[in-house]
Amino acid sequence: MNITFYKYKITNKETLEEKLFFKYGEIKEYCKIPRSTLYKIFNGAKPLNWCDKFDFKQVRIPREMDLI
């Protein structure tokens, strides 16, 4: 069985730092964005001014078991 999980990749546009997150709680601590706003961004909405300094993406990272 080939199962992948969605992870979140957030890039700080000012420092060009990229971080991967697994849970929303980690994202909230990092950039203080509400869950509803995050989902709107993933659905194609333009980010609000206060969260415009981040670039949000959903990426698929396979589990280690899937690589074997």
Side-chain angles (χ1 to χ4, degrees), residues 12-29:
N12 186 330
K13 292 180 181 177
E14 296 172 354
T15 62
L16 300 178
E17 176 186 24
E18 293 181 347
K19 286 192 168 192
L20 291 173
F21 297 97
F22 180 69
K23 297 180 181 178
Y24 167 73
E26 298 168 346
I27 296 172
K28 188 174 181 180
E29 288 178 22

Side-chain angles (χ1 to χ4, degrees), residues 4-42:
T4 55
F5 294 103
Y6 271 114
K7 303 270 184 161
Y8 304 102
K9 178 180 172 185
I10 299 179
T11 306
N12 186 330
K13 292 180 181 177
E14 296 172 354
T15 62
L16 300 178
E17 176 186 24
E18 293 181 347
K19 286 192 168 192
L20 291 173
F21 297 97
F22 180 69
K23 297 180 181 178
Y24 167 73
E26 298 168 346
I27 296 172
K28 188 174 181 180
E29 288 178 22
Y30 180 66
C31 61
K32 311 287 190 264
I33 185 170
R35 186 185 306 255
S36 60
T37 303
L38 183 66
Y39 290 143
K40 288 177 186 176
I41 291 170
F42 289 146

